[in-house]
């Protein structure tokens, strides 16, 4: 039961620290709710129009592809560092299969035309 008390104490300490930080900000930060400060502001450009604009789904595809291949690099780097010392032929075959699946996925995305910028 002591383990739960430790977890509860850590959670309570975390909540107390967050509450203390929020209270200190409220006491110390200047407050001047001017109407100009409450307007929408986006990247230094004043908002024009209704605020609703259809975005391109293409950017989401680029983001997902980047994440997939960044995760691939996260797996490849440590594997390459210990390949000669600790890993054997089985690891090489497993990594070849992993890379093969990624190449097939990249070819599929390229064939569907999702990598075109225009």
């Amino acid at each position: 039961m002591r383990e739960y008390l430790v977890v509860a104490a850590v959670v309570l300490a975390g909540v107390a620290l967050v509450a203390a930080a929020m209270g200190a900000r409220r006491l110390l930060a200047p407050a001047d709710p001017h109407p100009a400060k409450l307007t929408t502001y986006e990247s230094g450009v004043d908002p024009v129009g209704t605020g609703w604009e259809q975005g391109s789904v293409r950017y989401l595809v680029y983001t997902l592809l980047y994440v997939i291949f960044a995760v691939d690099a996260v797996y490849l780097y440590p594997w390459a560092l210990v390949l000669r010392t600790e890993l054997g032929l089985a690891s090489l075959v497993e990594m070849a299969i992993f890379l093969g699946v990624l190449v097939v996925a990249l070819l599929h995305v390229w064939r569907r035309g999702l990598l075109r910028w225009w």
Side-chain angles (χ1 to χ4, degrees), residues 56 58-59 62-63 113-118:
S56 177
R58 179 175 305 235
Y59 300 116
Y62 291 133
T63 304
L114 296 174
L115 297 178
R116 278 187 257 145
W117 283 94
W118 58 87

Side-chain angles (χ1 to χ4, degrees), residues 9 34 71 85:
H34 193 269
V71 169
T85 59

Side-chain angles (χ1 to χ4, degrees), residues 10 14 29 45 61 110:
V10 170
V45 178
V61 173
W110 183 39

Side-chain angles (χ1 to χ4, degrees), residues 2-16:
R2 287 184 180 174
E3 293 84 12
Y4 292 115
L5 291 176
V6 171
V7 170
V10 170
V11 168
L12 287 175
V15 169

Side-chain angles (χ1 to χ4, degrees), residues 24 32-33 35 38 44 61 79 81 86 88 91 95 102:
D32 185 22
L38 301 176
V61 173
W79 173 81
L81 288 178
E86 300 173 15
S91 174
M95 193 52 70
L102 285 174

Side-chain angles (χ1 to χ4, degrees), residues 42-97:
E42 181 66 35
S43 300
V45 178
D46 290 328
V48 177
T50 62
W52 173 259
E53 184 174 326
Q54 185 68 31
S56 177
V57 180
R58 179 175 305 235
Y59 300 116
L60 177 65
V61 173
Y62 291 133
T63 304
L64 290 175
L65 286 173
Y66 171 76
V67 168
I68 289 169
F69 288 105
V71 169
D72 171 38
V74 168
Y75 284 117
L76 278 175
Y77 186 72
W79 173 81
L81 288 178
V82 295
L83 176 64
R84 291 184 180 195
T85 59
E86 300 173 15
L87 304 175
L89 183 63
S91 174
L92 184 64
V93 171
E94 289 173 357
M95 193 52 70
I97 292 171

